[in-house]
Amino acid sequence: MTNAEVAACFEELADLLELEGANPFRVRAYRNAARTVAGLAESVETLVDEGADLTELPGIGKDLAEKIACIVHTGTLPQLEELRAKYPTGVLDMLKIPGLGPKKVAVLFRELGIQTLEELRAAAEAGRIAGLRGFGKKTEQSILEGIEHLQTAIARVYLAEAMPVAEAIREDIASLDCVDKAEIAGSFRRRKETVGDLDLLVTSTDSERVMDRLAENEFVEKVLQRGETKQRVRLRMGLEMDLRVVAPESYGAALAYFTGSKEHNIVVRRRGQERGLKINEYGVFRGEKRVGGKTEEEVYAAIDLPWIPPELREARREFEWAEQGRLPKLIELRDIRGDLHMHTTATDGTATIEEMIQGAKARGLRYIAITDHSKRVTMANGLDATRLRKHWKDIDRVRGRISGIDVLCGVECDILEDATMDLPDDVLAEAEFVVAVLHYGLKLPREQITRRLLTAIENPYVDAIGHLTGRLIGRRPGADVDYDTIMKAAADNGVMLEINAHPSRLDLDDLHAMQAAYDYGIPILINTDAHSVGGLDVMQFGVFQARRGGLEKRHVANTKPLK
DNA sequence: GCCGTTTTCGGCCCGACTGTTTTCAGTCG
Ligand SMILES: Nc1nc2c(ncn2[C@H]2C[C@H](O)[C@@H](COP(=O)(O)OP(=O)(O)OP(=O)(O)O)O2)c(=O)[nH]1
Ligand SMILES: [Mg+2]
Ligand SMILES: [Mg+2]
Ligand SMILES: [Zn+2]
């Protein structure tokens, strides 16, 4: 039972309770529990087995602690099963339609007995929905469009994919004379690995002009919603964008609001309440009087906290840290000196040794390791001992004529399904850098995954483990890694763990990078795994993930000089 | 359902947009 699975139970229960018309704060408690569990680096299953006191976790009381234990032991909750029996899964599907929330879905289910999206479509087409209390012709029409849209709607988008579009739109809006500031906020500013939409904050005294300009932008397909201060549009790429326009004096408060996260905002506002203040997107108010909000610093100062970096604003540990003046000084891209994982045309890269070295040098790196694939990765033309030794000779020749950057003859060695290394020790011993990885057999049971990873970690020639779980964000889950065992072994054996910076990997993720660095003292590497010169530019995404995990420069080995 | 040196009961963030409504509920950010 993974943390994600436990969290999913609570999420589903929250949705079902909402349909039942339960107390919204009780529903929130379940959602908070889901978030707490999902945000835990340690496995709740282990915690339960060890008899840990779960009520020490934020938002988990006696009741929820028992429910967690019940889910871990039985896979579900009696209460959840009862509600599932009452509301078929198709009812929950209806909640995905924009504009349909728990109240409306409950009406459709109760009054018309609608249980699936198909039945909902039929009812709307037959005109049976308009006329229900709270439903009219427009709602009926928007339901039909909503069902249609669900079929083609895109999932969350990689931050890296959203970035060029976001930046282009931001610049266009910023070029208007009436615009003071334009910033992308939301999950984008918090540097989450994927974004559900883009949130553009603009300060201006002419919101009409700003909204018109966005509506005309070449990336925009359609205006979905428009009011006095905000507009929602759908971009041609499928992603949607929220535009919020406020007056310049509200910049800080609005940026804080729109950056979120939602849960972070709730804590900020609660701390405001406790101090007799009201905090909203327009400012900080004592009664009618505005007492701050021009900058984010003012907002945080009003609740007796230092400014908190956006990457940490997830209502995890940041308030505790800020309160104690222990906010980490987060690593920055410019701290990175080396990149110890990349490929060339020797295997599945598209650039030569020389091009990769020059590319790295042009990006200001002082050292790199060239780590082409080992033979098991036949698809990528992986190298056997003979070809690898020849490749290293080639690298050695090229590095000899390029000054200003150190180049290591490395290898990305597969950890085979039978828990042996893809290359013999005598070859690995000759390597100047070895990053060991799982590529195949990711679905093997936890015990075998552990055995394989331990083989690599205990191998004297392995320097680091790359993309530990092998997850591909939004496409496939990673291997079932026993983090505690693996991290303890890595710490004991002096093996580093990688944050693979590729936008679809980011593996280690933020939570486990934090666990490795803070709980186990394991040096972290942030590597690009570049397969082309341009691939070296993804380093920033690895740094973002590290920042979200609270990592400082000191935690990251490739900020240090090559020894 | 959680939580607390102001509370162990009674709060729980705050506001915009839409559509349905005759004054506001629902949904969403
Ligand atoms: N105070 C407050 N702010 C909210 C609430 N919901 C959303 N926000 C703020 C914080 C969010 O980061 C910001 C943008 O909302 P989004 O729905 O786009 O969420 P976000 O960008 O965080 O994640 P996303 O990747 O879009 O799913 O609006 C809320 O219920 N209360
Ligand atoms: Mg967003
Ligand atoms: Mg949004
Ligand atoms: Zn690689």
Side-chain angles (χ1 to χ4, degrees):
Chain A
M1 184 61 49
T2 66
N3 290 1
E5 286 163 343
V6 175
C9 282
F10 285 138
E11 286 290 355
E12 188 181 349
L13 190 50
D15 284 347
L16 290 165
L17 285 169
E18 239 176 351
L19 286 176
E20 288 274 282
N23 179 332
F25 299 104
R26 185 167 159 239
V27 173
R28 182 192 285 176
Y30 282 101
R31 298 227 162 91
N32 281 338
R35 215 171 44 85
T36 296
V37 171
L40 232 46
E42 308 81 27
S43 134
V44 274
E45 180 167 352
T46 311
L47 291 177
V48 167
D49 288 346
E50 290 170 349
D53 180 11
L54 297 179
T55 63
E56 283 179 7
L57 296 171
I60 308 291
K62 191 163 172 298
D63 185 79
L64 282 167
E66 279 169 16
K67 289 194 160 94
I68 291 171
C70 178
I71 296 172
V72 164
H73 290 132
T74 70
T76 184
L77 292 169
Q79 188 188 13
L80 179 59
E81 291 308 311
E82 276 168 39
L83 288 169
R84 277 177 176 165
K86 182 163 176 191
Y87 299 96
T89 56
V91 181
L92 291 179
D93 289 340
M94 292 194 262
L95 290 171
K96 296 188 189 119
I97 296 170
L100 283 194
K103 291 284 192 300
K104 283 199 155 69
V105 168
V107 169
L108 293 167
F109 177 67
R110 269 204 321 268
E111 306 291 321
L112 299 180
I114 294 172
Q115 304 196 359
T116 66
L117 286 177
E118 252 330 295
E119 290 171 13
L120 180 61
R121 185 207 301 271
E125 280 169 351
R128 290 194 286 126
I129 287 175
L132 287 173
R133 180 159 200 82
F135 293 80
K137 274 285 158 209
K138 286 189 175 171
T139 307
E140 191 168 79
Q141 186 55 35
S142 94
I143 286 173
L144 283 173
E145 283 163 21
I147 295 174
E148 208 52 45
H149 180 244
L150 271 193
Q151 320 302 321
T152 56
I154 58 166
R156 297 178 65 88
V157 165
Y158 295 140
L159 176 62
E161 208 179 321
M163 209 168 205
V165 181
E167 195 45 36
I169 296 174
R170 191 195 70 79
E171 273 174 18
D172 178 59
I173 297 293
S175 75
L176 287 176
D177 282 340
C178 65
V179 166
D180 177 39
K181 294 195 170 77
E183 293 294 341
I184 308 285
S187 50
F188 183 95
R189 183 161 179 250
R190 301 198 311 280
R191 308 303 190 214
K192 270 190 81 158
E193 57 206 28
T194 62
V195 296
D197 69 357
L198 291 170
D199 301 284
L200 175 59
L201 174 72
V202 174
T203 54
S204 171
T205 47
D206 188 354
S207 69
E208 288 298 312
R209 178 92 190 79
V210 176
M211 287 194 261
D212 284 345
R213 180 72 173 211
L214 178 63
E216 290 158 13
N217 188 287
E218 55 172 342
F219 289 105
V220 172
E221 179 184 297
K222 181 177 183 197
V223 175
L224 300 172
Q225 224 183 41
R226 176 165 175 162
E228 306 268 294
T229 69
K230 63 194 240 194
Q231 173 172 258
R232 186 165 176 92
V233 299
R234 180 171 302 138
L235 305 179
R236 293 187 199 287
M237 68 185 288
L239 200 62
E240 294 179 2
M241 174 179 267
D242 283 311
L243 167 66
R244 188 71 201 261
V245 188
V246 299
E249 68 264 23
S250 294
Y251 176 69
L255 184 60
Y257 151 70
F258 218 23
T259 298
S261 64
K262 172 183 171 177
E263 292 73 19
H264 179 93
N265 288 352
I266 289 175
V267 178
V268 167
R269 289 170 181 208
R270 187 175 47 68
R271 289 182 66 104
Q273 287 182 318
E274 289 164 2
R275 288 163 177 75
L277 301 169
K278 180 175 71 174
I279 301 176
N280 59 28
E281 59 267 52
Y282 299 109
V284 180
F285 300 87
R286 187 176 297 281
E288 291 298 291
K289 189 169 181 294
R290 124 192 229 105
V291 296
K294 175 86 183 116
T295 65
E296 284 193 333
E297 282 81 357
E298 282 183 11
V299 175
Y300 286 102
I303 54 172
D304 300 315
L305 294 177
W307 181 84
I308 297 175
E311 290 92 334
L312 299 179
R313 300 185 193 171
E314 299 287 352
R316 289 177 182 161
R317 311 277 300 279
E318 72 273 23
F319 292 103
E320 175 193 331
W321 292 337
E323 189 109 68
Q324 305 166 354
R326 289 180 40 235
L327 280 171
K329 184 176 181 313
L330 300 179
I331 181 178
E332 295 178 32
L333 180 59
R334 64 161 184 266
D335 295 329
I336 297 288
R337 293 188 194 217
D339 183 352
L340 297 177
H341 185 163
M342 68 186 66
H343 300 267
T344 70
T345 48
T347 59
D348 59 350
T350 58
T352 62
I353 297 167
E354 167 135 24
E355 287 164 345
M356 291 305 288
I357 298 174
Q358 294 291 7
K361 200 178 149 185
R363 283 161 181 75
L365 293 176
R366 320 260 188 89
Y367 57 89
I368 61 171
I370 291 180
T371 55
D372 274 298
H373 290 288
S374 61
K375 65 183 190 300
R376 172 68 174 84
V377 194
T378 46
M379 253 176 50
N381 190 27
L383 305 170
D384 60 19
T386 311
R387 287 181 58 220
L388 181 57
R389 286 186 168 117
K390 168 164 185 309
H391 185 42
W392 285 339
K393 279 215 176 83
D394 294 341
I395 294 170
D396 189 46
R397 257 197 311 279
V398 179
R399 69 181 172 184
R401 44 171 216 266
I402 301 176
S403 65
I405 184 166
D406 291 319
V407 179
L408 300 180
C409 293
V411 65
E412 175 176 8
C413 183
D414 257 61
I415 309 166
L416 303 180
E417 287 95 321
D418 65 0
T420 61
M421 300 298 287
D422 193 20
L423 292 166
D425 275 3
D426 64 311
V427 180
L428 295 180
E430 289 169 36
E432 292 162 349
F433 186 78
V434 178
V435 55
V437 299
L438 302 171
H439 276 127
Y440 299 94
L442 294 178
K443 290 186 187 152
L444 287 173
R446 187 180 179 91
E447 295 68 36
Q448 290 189 55
I449 296 289
T450 304
R451 215 159 58 79
R452 294 168 71 191
L453 287 168
L454 288 180
T455 301
I457 289 168
E458 287 162 6
N459 183 296
Y461 309 112
V462 168
D463 297 291
I465 305 292
H467 47 70
L468 183 63
T469 75
R471 74 164 177 168
L472 290 177
I473 298 168
R475 298 212 289 269
R476 74 165 188 228
D480 186 2
V481 171
D482 177 353
Y483 285 99
D484 280 318
T485 304
I486 294 313
M487 287 190 185
K488 183 162 189 319
D492 289 347
N493 288 275
V495 169
M496 299 181 280
L497 292 179
E498 173 186 85
I499 294 176
N500 190 290
H502 193 278
S504 70
R505 289 195 182 271
L506 297 170
D507 180 14
L508 305 176
D509 64 17
D510 49 357
L511 297 174
H512 294 104
M514 175 184 291
Q515 184 186 23
Y518 281 88
D519 298 344
Y520 290 90
I522 298 168
I524 303 296
L525 281 173
I526 308 177
N527 292 328
T528 63
D529 202 356
H531 284 67
S532 64
V533 174
L536 295 166
D537 292 324
V538 303
M539 184 61 84
Q540 57 184 321
F541 301 103
V543 172
F544 293 155
Q545 196 74 4
R547 289 171 61 87
R548 287 179 56 83
L551 267 58
E552 302 187 334
K553 181 178 174 183
R554 68 189 166 94
H555 295 120
V556 178
N558 52 320
T559 61
K560 303 185 195 314
L562 185 65
K563 343 176 248 308

